[in-house]
Amino acid sequence: MNLNSSLFNNNKNRLSRILHEDTDASKQISQELINLLPTGKLQPIVIVCIGTDRSTGDSLGPLVGTLLNEKTEDSASSFHVYGTLDNPIHAMNLQEKLSEINKIHTDPFIVGIDACLGKLKSVGIVQIGQGPVKPGAGVNKDLPSVGNAHITGIVNVSGFMEFMVLQNTRLNLVLKMAKTIAEGIYEAQNHYPVKPTFTPFSWSFKQEKTL
């Protein structure tokens, strides 16, 4: 869980902010995510959903992971999803899970998903941008940064007793945000234009004679 919505505001890269209740929120998330994904080389896309179901506010990540797996269980998926309600990725196993992911996938492009606390007027906003997410910042935990890109959902207000705030966050809001984020990632997966790294081989008769 991140501390607040301004965590990436000093980043020179643009940070997109999308209200989860917008009618086209999932499409906006899909397009913003596609714009961040690599197109110049074939990299495995890994979605790392961080959080725990032991805290309502911090369950956004594993809810997204579970919903994504349900959407793709009957079809081949080009995105690799880690972190679900059954197998969450949280403070106690984050480093171990990241090591496993990097052993399984060669040079993965990782998108970190996590809950976030912020200003009252920002609650319900989904943020998408370049650079890693910093899990545990909101509750003063020193954890590894995660991802080449990130998606965070602002689930409640920061500033005082963040741990209790997370515990008392409405599940209804978190679930709605998780559904919107999962749908956006699913749409991005279906429209992601993977471009090959190789260039077509061509030769001429003159080139062949000089070999």
Side-chain angles (χ1 to χ4, degrees), residues 140-206:
N140 298 316
K141 291 182 180 179
D142 185 18
L143 299 174
S145 298
V146 179
N148 305 91
H150 65 271
I151 301 177
T152 58
I154 304 173
V155 298
N156 214 326
V157 182
S158 65
F160 181 70
M161 297 182 68
E162 277 84 2
F163 181 78
M164 292 299 296
V165 168
L166 283 173
Q167 295 283 5
N168 289 281
T169 297
R170 290 197 65 196
L171 178 59
N172 183 52
L173 171 64
V174 177
L175 182 57
K176 286 181 177 179
M177 295 182 72
K179 288 180 177 179
T180 300
I181 294 170
E183 183 62 32
I185 296 173
Y186 182 69
E187 289 185 22
Q189 171 189 283
N190 291 336
H191 296 92
Y192 175 48
V194 179
K195 297 180 181 179
T197 58
F198 65 88
T199 54
F201 177 73
S202 62
W203 54 271
S204 67
F205 178 70
K206 182 178 180 181

Side-chain angles (χ1 to χ4, degrees), residues 29-200:
I29 291 171
S30 172
Q31 188 56 60
E32 293 294 340
L33 180 57
I34 287 174
N35 290 340
L36 291 171
L37 297 178
T39 55
K41 59 180 179 178
L42 295 175
Q43 272 182 285
I45 307 301
V46 175
I47 311 297
V48 177
C49 303
I50 304 160
T52 173
D53 60 351
R54 294 179 181 272
S55 170
T56 307
D58 205 21
S59 64
L60 179 71
L63 278 170
V64 171
T66 298
L67 292 169
L68 278 174
N69 279 347
E70 289 177 353
K71 286 178 174 294
T72 59
E73 63 182 354
D74 296 325
S75 61
S77 173
S78 58
F79 289 7
H80 309 276
V81 179
Y82 295 87
T84 64
L85 293 174
D86 280 339
N87 296 291
I89 296 177
H90 45 69
M92 301 301 293
N93 66 1
L94 178 60
Q95 185 63 67
E96 175 188 354
K97 293 295 184 180
L98 291 177
S99 297
E100 290 178 5
I101 288 169
N102 281 286
K103 288 180 181 178
I104 295 171
H105 305 284
T106 301
D107 189 27
F109 185 95
I110 296 177
V111 180
I113 314 290
D114 200 4
C116 180
L117 297 177
K119 296 179 180 178
L120 178 60
K121 65 180 180 180
S122 297
V123 173
I125 293 287
V126 176
Q127 304 178 128
I128 307 176
Q130 290 183 334
V133 68
K134 181 62 177 174
V139 288
N140 298 316
K141 291 182 180 179
D142 185 18
L143 299 174
S145 298
V146 179
N148 305 91
H150 65 271
I151 301 177
T152 58
I154 304 173
V155 298
N156 214 326
V157 182
S158 65
F160 181 70
M161 297 182 68
E162 277 84 2
F163 181 78
M164 292 299 296
V165 168
L166 283 173
Q167 295 283 5
N168 289 281
T169 297
R170 290 197 65 196
L171 178 59
N172 183 52
L173 171 64
V174 177
L175 182 57
K176 286 181 177 179
M177 295 182 72
K179 288 180 177 179
T180 300
I181 294 170
E183 183 62 32
I185 296 173
Y186 182 69
E187 289 185 22
Q189 171 189 283
N190 291 336
H191 296 92
Y192 175 48
V194 179
K195 297 180 181 179
T197 58
F198 65 88
T199 54

